[in-house]
Amino acid sequence: MATGKVKWFSATKGYGFIQPDDGSSDVFVHISAVEKAGYTALAEGVRISYELRAGRSGKMSTENLRVS
């Protein structure tokens, strides 16, 4: 699993971004992945582990989120 910290997340907008620990580009996180993990939102700066998957558009997004 990859790890990082929440760069920002807006429950109102329904998405946000995670800054990976490995220094790679920020990763998109959708509200559906957050809710599937049992959360309603993510706080900025929270440590998180996740798996990456390619979306329909070919862009990478997160799934199987776990707050550290």
Side-chain angles (χ1 to χ4, degrees):
M1 281 194 131
T3 58
K5 68 178 181 177
V6 178
K7 187 171 186 176
W8 71 268
F9 184 82
S10 171
T12 304
K13 292 183 179 183
Y15 68 94
F17 291 91
I18 296 171
Q19 184 176 25
D21 288 340
D22 66 5
S24 60
S25 298
D26 294 346
V27 181
F28 179 81
V29 58
H30 191 265
I31 188 70
S32 61
V34 174
E35 291 173 342
K36 187 175 180 182
Y39 307 106
T40 56
L42 297 173
E44 186 176 318
V46 168
R47 306 275 317 139
I48 194 163
S49 60
Y50 57 92
E51 293 178 5
L52 291 174
R53 71 171 175 87
R56 289 179 283 210
S57 67
K59 293 184 179 181
M60 299 304 283
S61 64
T62 59
E63 63 180 20
N64 299 324
L65 304 174
R66 293 194 183 107
V67 173
S68 301

